[in-house]
Amino acid sequence: MSAPAALAPAGPSRSGVLDGVVTVVVLVGLWQALHAYAGDAAIASPLAAFRHLSGLAATAGFWSHATATLTAFAAALAISAALGIGLGLVLGLRRFAGEVAEPILAGLYAIPKITLYPVILLIFGLGLGAKVAFGVIHGVIPITLFTLTAVKGINPVLIRTARAMRLSQPATIRTILAPAVLPEIVTGLRVGFSLTLLGVLVGEMFASQKGLGFLIVNGISLHNVQQTTAVILMLVIVAVTANGVLLWLDRRLFHRP
């Protein structure tokens, strides 16, 4: 092997894996230190949480709760993505409407969503509908704003070309706008993914008898620290893994650094 090749820096893939491993080790170390400081009454140790999680995963009841959360989350994410992308594209095409709607949407997003939960319960009642609706109000606005911002930043030449070709608005969106803003839409979906999951879990915590959010609250009420920590650990693993996959796809598809 030549000297230049031997001294060449590690590729981005190897560096990313190393950074991830170091981050996990540091976080687990901090977790263990927090457990040593606060004790079993406040937080389970990493080893105890993993053991309890493996025990939960062996029960049918746990997967029943996980399926309830996944069903609500999938429906909420699909609705958030469809509404967010659609509204963002339409408002981005209509500049005046977009300039009026953007600060309104940003203001709505600043409202603490938990204050809206009684209204959600009155409209949708207890059950799946309320959880889906609460997930949607968390995820739809960020996706809309990301898409709207992407359309506003598009090259005006593309819009003028579409008008010169007398393309209809649906054709303009399909053939010009969508491919041009797709990278930003993917970024918005990554953000919307996490926030929609958060909304569904919060909905399960307040008014549900099924789901992982219910398990967390149930563990708190029974002072079952290991159950609460184990379920939170599973959610963190799922969220971080999904976000990592989406980020990897984003970089692979659009060749981002």
Side-chain angles (χ1 to χ4, degrees):
M1 181 181 296
S2 64
L7 296 176
S13 177
R14 183 181 302 178
S15 176
V17 171
L18 181 60
D19 290 344
V21 170
V22 172
T23 301
V24 170
V25 170
V26 170
L27 290 177
V28 172
L30 291 174
W31 180 1
Q32 181 62 44
L34 182 60
H35 166 72
Y37 173 77
D40 290 324
I43 184 172
S45 67
L47 182 59
F50 275 105
R51 284 177 175 172
H52 195 81
L53 180 58
S54 63
L56 282 176
T59 64
F62 173 79
W63 291 109
S64 174
H65 288 286
T67 301
T69 298
L70 180 61
T71 301
F73 168 66
L77 183 61
I79 295 172
S80 296
L83 286 178
I85 294 173
L87 284 173
L89 290 174
V90 172
L91 292 175
L93 277 176
R94 301 176 181 274
R95 290 303 178 100
F96 179 75
E99 290 176 359
V100 171
E102 187 171 6
I104 296 175
L105 291 173
L108 289 175
Y109 186 68
I111 297 174
K113 309 300 183 299
I114 196 62
T115 59
L116 302 176
Y117 200 68
V119 179
I120 297 295
L121 288 180
L122 286 174
I123 297 174
F124 296 96
L126 297 174
L128 180 63
K131 294 191 292 184
V132 171
F134 207 58
V136 169
I137 66 174
H138 276 78
V140 68
I141 294 180
I143 296 175
T144 302
L145 290 175
F146 268 94
T147 306
L148 171 59
T149 302
V151 175
K152 286 173 61 177
I154 199 171
N155 191 338
V157 173
L158 297 177
I159 304 299
R160 288 197 293 267
T161 301
R163 290 172 180 168
M165 297 175 65
R166 297 187 177 182
L167 295 179
S168 64
Q169 183 166 305
T172 302
I173 293 175
R174 186 178 65 254
T175 60
I176 294 179
L177 289 186
V181 303
L182 191 57
E184 284 72 20
I185 289 177
V186 172
T187 302
L189 289 175
R190 281 179 42 227
V191 175
F193 179 96
S194 301
L195 294 173
T196 302
L197 179 59
L198 174 64
V200 170
L201 291 172
V202 172
E204 290 179 339
M205 289 179 180
F206 279 87
S208 179
Q209 297 298 314
K210 275 284 187 181
L212 298 178
F214 167 75
L215 284 183
I216 294 174
V217 171
N218 187 55
I220 294 173
S221 62
L222 297 176
H223 201 64
N224 189 339
V225 177
Q226 288 191 353
Q227 174 178 306
T228 302
T229 308
V231 175
I232 292 174
L233 172 62
M234 178 187 176
L235 290 170
V236 169
I237 292 173
V238 170
V240 170
T241 302
N243 187 72
V245 170
L246 291 172
L247 182 59
W248 178 80
L249 288 174
D250 186 13
R251 290 175 174 172
R252 292 279 294 182
L253 291 174
F254 307 114
H255 308 290
R256 294 185 178 181

